[in-house]
Amino acid sequence: MKIESVPEQKTTIQVIERMVALLDALAKYPDPVSLKELSKVSGLHPSTAHRILNDMVLTRFVDRVEPGTYRLGMRLLELGNVVKSRLSVREAALDFMRSLHKKTQQTINLSVRQGDEIVYIDRAFSERSGMQVVRAIGGRGPLHLTSTGKLFLSVDEPKAIRAYATRTGLAGHNKNSITDLSKLERELSLVRARGYARDNEELELGVRCMAAGIRDDSGKLVAGLSISAPADRLQEEWLEDLVQTANQISATLGYMPAAE
């Protein structure tokens, strides 16, 4: 006799869908929620919701606070921490970087801070961008001469910025380089106000960049996403796409902007 497995598969998937519906319902409430309310929000019959909640209590996905009331369980936090520990900025950013490159056809850089420099940890580019890629993955650049570097300096305390200037001497690479502390401080004020940073041929003549910050779930600035292009080809309309992409990567890392 032929055994049909489709109904069993459908039932299994249905149970998972109902579990997710209950988890989503629980996530809407900061305090323990009654079975009646969960049934209403999830659209499940009370007896069905009760049965699934009991199973999730046993596996610690849900906590039963008192008879008839529930909240999300610690198992979710434990699993979330595992995911967080395994998710790197590079892994989170790669697909988004490729999409932004496809749209702009320009070089997209992912950089992190190491001491007084930024380090390029990934890049999406093509030869058609019309610009020779000078700094490959693993390359470095001074904080005060790069768009991403300015992002990191902008979140430093004034004392730390002055200490950076003292350590580095604010050495320049060309006539456009910012080598004066007061000018750098004004530039960083603009970065804070705008929420993004620019490099107007300050590192390399003929190359301009714009950068937006990437934050983790704690709100810490952990990386910068930038577009590099020939100076005469950088388009202002790319800025909105850049900021949006950086925000998407931040969201993937768990960052949630504070409500205004």
Side-chain angles (χ1 to χ4, degrees):
M1 179 183 295
K2 184 178 180 181
I3 299 176
E4 296 288 345
S5 59
V6 175
E8 181 180 353
Q9 182 180 15
K10 182 178 180 181
T11 302
T12 303
I13 293 174
Q14 189 178 59
V15 170
I16 294 173
E17 289 175 345
R18 289 172 174 176
M19 286 177 60
V20 172
L22 285 167
L23 290 173
D24 285 342
L26 284 164
K28 295 178 185 293
Y29 298 89
D31 299 317
V33 194
S34 68
L35 174 62
K36 181 179 179 181
E37 184 68 13
L38 289 173
S39 173
K40 177 182 176 182
V41 174
S42 66
L44 298 176
H45 189 277
S47 62
T48 300
H50 185 259
R51 184 176 68 254
I52 295 173
L53 284 167
N54 280 343
D55 288 341
M56 288 198 288
V57 167
L58 292 175
T59 53
R60 296 172 49 241
F61 284 104
V62 171
D63 289 336
R64 184 184 289 110
V65 182
E66 57 185 54
T69 61
Y70 304 85
R71 67 183 176 193
L72 294 177
M74 293 299 291
R75 181 79 180 277
L76 292 169
L77 179 61
E78 293 167 2
L79 292 175
N81 285 333
V82 171
V83 172
K84 177 184 174 183
S85 68
R86 294 177 179 175
L87 181 63
S88 72
V89 174
R90 182 180 177 278
E91 290 170 339
L94 196 54
D95 287 342
F96 293 108
M97 291 174 65
R98 287 170 176 163
S99 296
L100 185 59
H101 167 67
K102 185 176 181 180
K103 187 169 188 176
T104 64
Q105 289 300 305
Q106 301 301 320
T107 301
I108 310 300
N109 311 289
L110 181 67
S111 312
V112 297
R113 180 176 184 171
Q114 283 191 357
D116 292 339
E117 298 176 307
I118 62 162
V119 179
Y120 298 90
I121 62 172
D122 213 335
R123 172 171 281 128
F125 73 99
S126 65
E127 299 301 328
R128 291 178 297 173
S129 65
M131 183 184 70
Q132 181 182 3
V133 178
V134 178
R135 283 171 170 76
I137 296 172
R140 296 171 177 267
L143 296 179
H144 66 290
L145 300 183
T146 56
S147 53
T148 293
K150 291 175 185 176
L151 289 174
F152 280 104
L153 282 175
S154 73
V155 299
D156 278 353
E157 296 292 331
K159 183 178 179 180
I161 295 170
R162 291 192 295 271
Y164 167 82
T166 301
R167 285 194 306 272
T168 64
L170 297 182
H173 281 212
N174 59 60
K175 61 184 178 63
N176 296 320
S177 299
I178 296 178
T179 58
D180 177 74
L181 177 57
S182 60
K183 185 175 181 181
L184 176 62
E185 289 173 333
R186 289 194 296 272
E187 176 80 358
L188 297 179
S189 293
L190 287 175
V191 172
R192 295 185 198 100
R194 293 169 174 169
Y196 61 88
R198 296 179 183 273
D199 159 19
N200 290 311
E201 301 184 71
E202 296 156 47
L203 184 63
E204 300 172 27
L205 290 175
V207 179
R208 295 171 60 205
C209 304
M210 52 177 65
I214 296 171
R215 296 179 180 274
D216 65 11
D217 62 334
S218 70
K220 180 183 177 182
L221 181 67
V222 293
L225 187 72
S226 64
I227 298 178
S228 300
D232 59 348
R233 295 189 191 177
L234 193 70
Q235 299 179 25
E236 290 302 311
E237 54 263 34
W238 293 339
L239 181 60
E240 183 177 350
D241 294 323
L242 173 68
V243 172
Q244 182 179 17
T245 302
N247 289 343
Q248 289 172 328
I249 298 170
S250 297
T252 301
L253 293 174
Y255 175 60
M256 298 180 65
E260 294 183 0

